[in-house]
Amino acid sequence: MPGQGAGKELTGRAPRKPFLLLIGAITIPIIVLDQATKLFVKSHMALYESIALVPNYLDITYTLNPGAAFSILADAPPWARLAFLLSMSCAAIIVLVVLLARSERVSINSVAFALILAGATGNLIDRATRGGRVIDFVRAHYYDLNYPVFNVADSAITIGVALIILGSLFGGDAAPKPNRSS
């Protein structure tokens, strides 16, 4: 019969891809928070000044990190370090945008990609506008035992990577298993 199946196109629409939702709800707010906290620290503290939030455990300490995470490449020649870090950041951002654009649904991996994209973009903004250096200010320590000073962008990257690891260990994005009860 003509007209049979005509309604299927309307009811069987593919779900919208979550790209704009993830960018708008995760990536952009984290970039704004990262840049706002860095601007606040820079405008209200002297370089290397430290304010204890929880004495002997957590401080706000204004530092400038010329290297990558944990000051990796900090001793490399400045021009080589900057070129390498800027190009790697740009490449990572492109890959993450493509991965997010190809996501079919919101999942643990797509949320992780949005977090890592926010962190990479936040630190890239710093590198591009502050001579290759990134403002770090969260100092977690136990008396004189220090964890490397970090920022909101670093936290977003770390949480994103942790989500990817958890998702791969516990099958967060795995397809549903077929029912074998028959």
Side-chain angles (χ1 to χ4, degrees):
M1 276 187 168
Q4 267 188 333
K8 289 184 181 176
E9 291 85 19
L10 296 176
T11 59
R13 290 185 357 205
R16 292 185 184 197
K17 290 189 175 191
F19 179 77
L20 292 177
L21 173 66
L22 292 166
I23 295 293
I26 297 173
T27 303
I28 292 173
I30 290 175
I31 293 169
V32 170
L33 179 63
D34 176 63
Q35 292 301 303
T37 55
K38 290 172 179 175
L39 182 62
F40 182 84
V41 166
K42 182 181 181 198
S43 63
H44 288 84
M45 296 178 72
L47 190 58
Y48 305 116
E49 180 182 355
S50 190
I51 300 169
L53 296 179
V54 180
N56 301 314
Y57 295 100
L58 184 66
D59 301 345
I60 300 297
T61 302
Y62 175 25
T63 64
L64 292 172
N65 180 1
F70 309 115
S71 296
I72 295 170
L73 299 176
D75 294 329
W79 65 269
R81 178 181 58 238
L82 183 60
F84 178 76
L85 293 174
L86 288 177
S87 62
M88 292 307 293
S89 295
C90 289
I93 289 168
I94 291 167
V95 168
L96 289 163
V97 167
V98 169
L99 289 171
L100 279 174
R102 296 181 77 185
S103 295
E104 294 294 327
R105 60 189 170 84
V106 175
S107 65
I108 192 167
N109 280 340
S110 64
V111 169
F113 296 151
L115 286 165
I116 296 168
L117 175 61
T121 304
N123 283 338
L124 176 64
I125 291 169
D126 271 23
R127 288 196 196 291
T129 60
R130 294 186 174 87
R133 299 180 300 175
V134 173
I135 293 176
D136 286 334
F137 57 90
V138 181
R139 178 178 170 240
H141 62 101
Y142 180 71
Y143 294 92
D144 288 333
L145 297 172
N146 289 290
Y147 184 79
V149 182
F150 59 96
N151 58 42
V152 172
D154 298 336
S155 298
I157 293 168
T158 301
I159 293 167
V161 170
L163 287 176
I164 290 170
I165 292 168
L166 289 172
S168 66
L169 290 176
F170 297 108
D173 281 352
K177 305 279 188 271
N179 186 356
R180 293 193 171 160
S181 62
S182 36

